[in-house]
Amino acid sequence: MHLRRDLGDQRGRQFAALPLRGKGKDLEVMLVTSRDTGRWVLPKGWAEEGLTGSKLAAKEAFEEAGLVGTVAAVPIGAYGYEKRLSGDRTRPCEVAVFTMRVARELEDWPERHQRRRQWFRLSEAAQLVQEQDLADLLQRLAARSAA
């Protein structure tokens, strides 16, 4: 269960996994589709009592994409976006991003029938996501891995 506080006009806090496989120029990231719009996103979720950001990122990667692996303890960066709520409302959110080295892809997972998942090269993923700060983060990673 996701616990969420009503923060009024304050930014909501979410935590995302940046699932990675490969290395160098072959480094890839897994994106999943959002349930509401079908756009490509990172697995992410609201803060939950008793879970650190990295543990929450691992939980979301499992639930949304069926991934198991090692999640970094410290975020690699963050991005902002407008979370769509009911009644055409939105809420500004900031998402801390934790890299995840994927060890296993499960055939069955909790949200398998609600989302699609797919591996992309970092530069391709940067073109597919709608959040500019996330696209910039993916492009920086792509440039670093190609060097």
Side-chain angles (χ1 to χ4, degrees), residues 40-105:
W40 290 108
V41 298
L42 293 177
K44 66 182 175 304
W46 299 102
E48 293 185 31
E49 195 170 326
L51 291 181
T52 63
S54 63
K55 293 224 184 283
L56 187 86
K59 179 179 185 275
E60 295 299 326
F62 165 74
E63 290 178 355
E64 295 183 8
L67 301 176
V68 178
T70 304
V71 178
V74 177
I76 191 172
Y79 68 94
Y81 82 108
E82 292 290 323
K83 172 73 175 168
R84 294 176 190 171
L85 305 172
S86 62
D88 290 331
R89 297 176 310 142
T90 62
R91 179 173 185 198
C93 289
E94 179 156 320
V95 183
V97 179
F98 295 81
T99 58
M100 175 187 200
R101 273 290 165 185
V102 175
R104 289 187 302 150
E105 285 179 59

Side-chain angles (χ1 to χ4, degrees), residues 117-128:
R117 66 180 184 182
Q118 188 171 331
W119 289 105
F120 296 98
R121 295 207 182 265
L122 291 167
S123 57
E124 184 181 6
Q127 294 173 4
L128 292 171

Side-chain angles (χ1 to χ4, degrees), residues 7-26:
L7 299 176
D9 291 334
Q10 294 181 0
R11 295 177 76 81
R13 293 279 298 153
Q14 292 187 314
F15 302 92
L18 181 72
L20 299 170
R21 73 175 182 188
K23 60 183 178 179
K25 61 181 176 48
D26 295 324

